[in-house]
Amino acid sequence: MSAFSDAFPVVQAFDDEVIRAGFRPGQMVLLAFLVTFGCVRGYAHLVRRGMGFGNLTIGKTRIHHMVPGIFLLLGAGFVSVALDPEMPWFLWWLLPTAFGCGAALVLDEYALWLNLRDVYWAEEGRRSIDAVIVAAALGGMVALGAPFWGRVISGADPAGGALIVAYHAVSFVSAVMCLLKGKLTTGVVGFLLWPVGLIGAIRLAEPNSIWARHLYDAEKLARARERYPDHVVHAEDEGAGVALSAAQVKAHVRR
């Protein structure tokens, strides 16, 4: 165990740079984000099953939960910018908490403001989950902090340092391949966990991705469209590719 700790001082770095450093704003944001998202999703499922207090409405207007989320984000950002660096002690934890809660409320309805319609329970609603996974992965890296990563790399022995560099090289290459293949969630998570990125890099690209458009022949592009039937397909519009979803194409044909 000692040899492993010398090669990869992850435990010691975590103890020194995270545990002993105490709870910091980045960790508060991540905790508030995850707790809020879990509560909101849980309550949404209860409402869908006819339980709970129902949706928030003013008159005949339904207030989506991204609305208070936007105000929380704007308020936390404005106060953070407007105040001097030496802010009151209670704002030190209140602002990161408000920001994390607001980010969760907004990203939980990412699919709504992306499509400009309520697709929370539709197939397109999966985009919201993808956005939350991406944000949580990035938040996890920020929560650990640069000192932690620097301590792990600088404290490793030569063999361990070489393996760490190789690990991150594989993670970076596979993650970039995933992003080029149109797999945003897999790509972001792949920056941290190379097996996830490697699996995404090996599998077929989405048909509308840069990778598929420039590197796939007709046969492989057809396989990609068969593999991802709900993703975008291409239609020719005066010589330029116009992206239409499969559902939009079917709707247009029916009209």
Side-chain angles (χ1 to χ4, degrees), residues 6-254:
D6 291 338
F8 305 100
V10 176
V11 176
Q12 187 62 42
F14 186 82
D15 183 61
D16 292 341
E17 305 296 341
V18 179
I19 300 299
R20 295 183 183 180
F23 216 50
R24 297 192 300 272
Q27 297 163 340
M28 294 180 192
V29 170
L30 180 62
L31 179 62
F33 179 85
L34 294 176
V35 171
T36 302
F37 173 73
C39 292
V40 168
R41 275 282 159 172
Y43 183 74
H45 281 278
L46 290 178
V47 171
R48 195 183 188 194
R49 296 177 182 178
M51 305 168 64
F53 298 101
N55 296 315
L56 175 63
T57 58
I58 298 179
K60 295 182 179 180
T61 303
R62 177 188 169 187
I63 307 300
H64 290 269
H65 51 264
M66 76 172 184
V67 175
I70 291 172
F71 284 111
L72 282 173
L73 287 177
L74 291 174
F78 178 78
V79 174
S80 298
V81 172
L83 289 183
D84 294 330
E86 296 297 328
M87 63 180 62
W89 65 269
F90 62 90
L91 289 181
W92 185 84
W93 62 266
L94 181 60
L95 290 180
T97 302
F99 185 87
C101 293
L105 293 172
V106 170
L107 288 179
D108 186 50
E109 295 201 304
Y110 169 77
L112 185 151
W113 46 271
L114 179 66
N115 293 278
L116 295 180
R117 56 193 177 90
D118 192 355
V119 292
Y120 196 83
W121 299 111
E123 181 66 27
E124 297 96 322
R126 171 67 191 179
R127 295 295 183 183
S128 296
I129 304 296
D130 294 340
V132 168
I133 293 174
V134 170
L138 295 176
M141 290 190 287
V142 173
L144 289 175
F148 167 78
W149 299 107
R151 179 74 177 273
V152 170
I153 296 174
S154 63
D157 63 19
L163 287 176
I164 291 174
V165 171
Y167 177 95
H168 287 292
V170 173
S171 299
F172 178 79
V173 172
S174 60
V176 169
M177 290 180 65
C178 288
L179 295 177
L180 292 175
K181 288 188 172 186
K183 302 175 181 180
L184 178 60
T185 304
T186 307
V188 173
V189 176
F191 275 111
L192 287 175
L193 303 172
W194 70 262
V196 175
L198 189 60
I199 292 173
I202 293 173
R203 301 184 68 184
L204 280 171
E206 294 184 4
N208 195 40
S209 65
I210 297 174
W211 188 283
R213 292 202 307 267
H214 294 281
L215 297 179
Y216 281 1
D217 56 21
E219 180 181 353
K220 203 162 187 179
L221 190 58
R223 285 172 52 200
R225 287 172 176 165
E226 183 179 355
R227 171 66 179 80
Y228 300 99
D230 295 326
H231 288 248
V232 293
V233 294
H234 289 291
E236 293 299 322
D237 181 18
E238 298 180 353
V242 177
L244 298 173
S245 70
Q248 288 173 320
V249 172
K250 293 178 181 178
H252 179 73
V253 171
R254 285 198 296 270

